[in-house]
Amino acid sequence: MNALVRLARREWGPLYAAVRAGLVERRLRAIPMTVAAVCLTALTQYVQNQAWGYQFVQNIGAVRAEDPLWLALLRTPFSLFVPALDLPVWGALAQILLVFGIAEICLGRWRTLVIAYVATLAGTLYARVGIALGPHGFLGLPASDSLVVDTGPSAAVVGLAVFLCRRYHAYVTAGVVVAAMVVEVLLKENLAGREHLAAIAAVLVLCGISELRHRPPGRDRTGSGSGLPPIQS
């Protein structure tokens, strides 16, 4: 039991400390964007289930690979808040509340939105590339996937989860998330699973860029310094 506790503390301790400090200091004021996103997703779910609102939501948030690129890019930001009709809405709401909430506390509002958008956009653009490659090409997709409606926060959630795990050194959790997405593709072989992997790849690139930006000066290419103490004047 003590070994499990130590493992949990090593894996999630820094992330837990950051989230706890943010909530203790600001409570719900720490996650205004997350609360707004949950409310917007719930409202979108209600509207798209009404006879008068379904087509409206499709027009502003439903992305398909067959759509013109400019239209897909225009709809992509709102598509994060359009729950998939074949999945329970509580799942999307729980994902946003938990993962977006943690990200907003630890990363800030705008960085959270940027990472979520990059992850979602990576999946959207991958679908077009995969269909162009064809079903027999490497990473290719069948032409029928161009008709699949691509909405929901799942790619953004996966991307944010991987970024957070990398940022706070929860490497085991990050590995579990990536492995789960790979298993999803192997078992279901659907567009959503492949888009999740594209989202992870894009976020790992962001992680690399972030590490390069925050690398302390004076380090060589191997990431270590010269090993010599600083010169005293």
Side-chain angles (χ1 to χ4, degrees), residues 10-45:
R10 184 168 58 251
E11 180 73 7
W12 299 311
L15 181 60
Y16 171 78
V19 173
R20 184 177 183 276
L23 289 176
V24 168
E25 180 180 353
R26 292 175 290 166
R27 298 185 183 276
L28 285 180
R29 290 183 291 111
I31 53 171
M33 181 269 293
T34 300
V35 173
V38 169
C39 293
L40 178 59
T41 303
L43 177 62
T44 302
Q45 173 70 2

Side-chain angles (χ1 to χ4, degrees), residues 75-98:
R75 290 175 173 175
T76 295
F78 190 74
S79 71
L80 273 75
F81 311 107
V82 180
L85 288 171
D86 59 339
L87 297 174
V89 67
W90 61 263
L93 296 178
Q95 288 177 7
I96 294 173
L97 182 61
L98 180 62

Side-chain angles (χ1 to χ4, degrees), residues 208-233:
I209 294 173
S210 178
E211 289 185 1
L212 287 176
R213 287 183 57 199
H214 294 90
R215 176 179 293 178
R219 288 179 174 267
D220 58 25
R221 292 184 179 181
T222 63
S224 60
S226 64
L228 298 175
I231 298 175
Q232 300 290 336
S233 59

Side-chain angles (χ1 to χ4, degrees), residues 23-178:
L23 289 176
V24 168
E25 180 180 353
R26 292 175 290 166
R27 298 185 183 276
L28 285 180
R29 290 183 291 111
I31 53 171
M33 181 269 293
T34 300
V35 173
V38 169
C39 293
L40 178 59
T41 303
L43 177 62
T44 302
Q45 173 70 2
Y46 172 78
V47 172
Q48 75 173 348
N49 278 284
Q50 309 304 312
W52 51 266
Y54 172 78
Q55 193 57 52
F56 171 73
V57 172
Q58 293 291 299
N59 290 340
I60 65 174
V63 178
R64 298 177 181 84
E66 68 169 357
D67 295 334
L69 180 59
W70 68 267
L71 182 59
L73 294 177
L74 195 63
R75 290 175 173 175
T76 295
F78 190 74
S79 71
L80 273 75
F81 311 107
V82 180
L85 288 171
D86 59 339
L87 297 174
V89 67
W90 61 263
L93 296 178
Q95 288 177 7
I96 294 173
L97 182 61
L98 180 62
V99 180
F100 273 64
I102 293 174
E104 185 175 6
I105 293 170
C106 298
L107 305 175
R109 183 183 315 164
W110 294 112
R111 184 176 297 179
T112 297
L113 287 174
V114 167
I115 295 170
Y117 180 70
V118 168
T120 302
L121 184 61
T124 297
L125 295 179
Y126 160 73
R128 293 172 176 271
V129 174
I131 291 169
L133 292 174
H136 303 298
F138 180 66
L139 300 178
L141 295 169
S144 58
D145 280 347
S146 64
L147 304 176
V148 175
V149 177
D150 180 17
T151 62
S154 58
V157 165
V158 170
L160 284 169
V162 170
F163 191 95
L164 285 166
C165 289
R166 184 68 184 83
R167 178 75 176 270
Y168 287 91
H169 309 295
Y171 299 118
V172 174
T173 305
V176 169
V177 172
V178 174

